[in-house]
Amino acid sequence: MPGLAGVGDRLAAGLLELGITASGAQLSALLEYLSLLQRWNRSFNLTSVRDPQAMVDRHLLDSLALLPFIPETGARLLDVGSGAGLPGVPLASMQPGNSVDVLDSNGKKRRFLFQVTSALSLAIMAVRHARVEGWAP
């Protein structure tokens, strides 16, 4: 993954600091998501953070800091104004036993999220194109 040298080590160290255990498949999914985010960010300006190491800290680890507060299975989560899929995509990657919906009214961000769900095989994640005022579960 071009431009992503060392981010796997940073991610693993950050997860250890948070007390979060991740399988090899989960780590791979998070790194693939980061690669997609970096690639799409060049054209769609999904985030102002450009440095991959900073993306690990400010996007992945910040999102995953929620894990201790969410049941591992059976939870229904809604990521309102998901944008680039944060925190919904990292949470869905780490907790496949939960139902995660990401909601955003921006079409280009929704297209990115559809690409992410396809590339990462996140069958549990639904991408919703709506404003929160008009959304009903």
Side-chain angles (χ1 to χ4, degrees), residues 1-101:
M1 289 178 235
L4 295 179
V7 297
D9 293 337
R10 175 63 200 125
L11 177 58
L15 290 172
L16 187 61
E17 288 175 33
L18 291 172
I20 297 170
T21 303
S23 69
Q26 289 169 323
L27 287 173
S28 292
L30 291 170
L31 292 173
E32 176 65 19
Y33 167 67
L34 198 64
S35 177
L36 287 167
L37 180 58
Q38 187 180 31
R39 190 172 335 133
W40 278 65
N41 202 35
R42 291 184 200 116
S43 301
F44 286 97
N45 195 30
L46 299 167
T47 174
S48 63
V49 179
R50 301 283 187 233
D51 176 56
Q53 294 284 340
M55 285 180 168
V56 168
D57 293 335
R58 295 176 63 192
H59 294 326
L60 296 182
L61 296 175
D62 281 357
S63 294
L64 295 174
L66 298 170
L67 282 178
F69 306 101
I70 302 170
E72 289 185 33
T73 59
R76 291 194 61 197
L77 306 173
L78 176 63
D79 179 3
V80 176
S82 186
L86 300 160
V89 171
L91 293 175
S93 298
M94 292 295 290
Q95 292 186 325
N98 287 331
S99 172
V100 179
D101 289 351

Side-chain angles (χ1 to χ4, degrees), residues 78-120:
L78 176 63
D79 179 3
V80 176
S82 186
L86 300 160
V89 171
L91 293 175
S93 298
M94 292 295 290
Q95 292 186 325
N98 287 331
S99 172
V100 179
D101 289 351
V102 292
L103 180 70
D104 204 286
S105 62
N106 184 303
K108 68 181 179 181
K109 292 175 182 173
R110 184 180 52 114
R111 285 190 297 278
F112 169 71
L113 292 169
F114 276 121
Q115 176 64 37
V116 167
T117 58
S118 174
L120 300 182

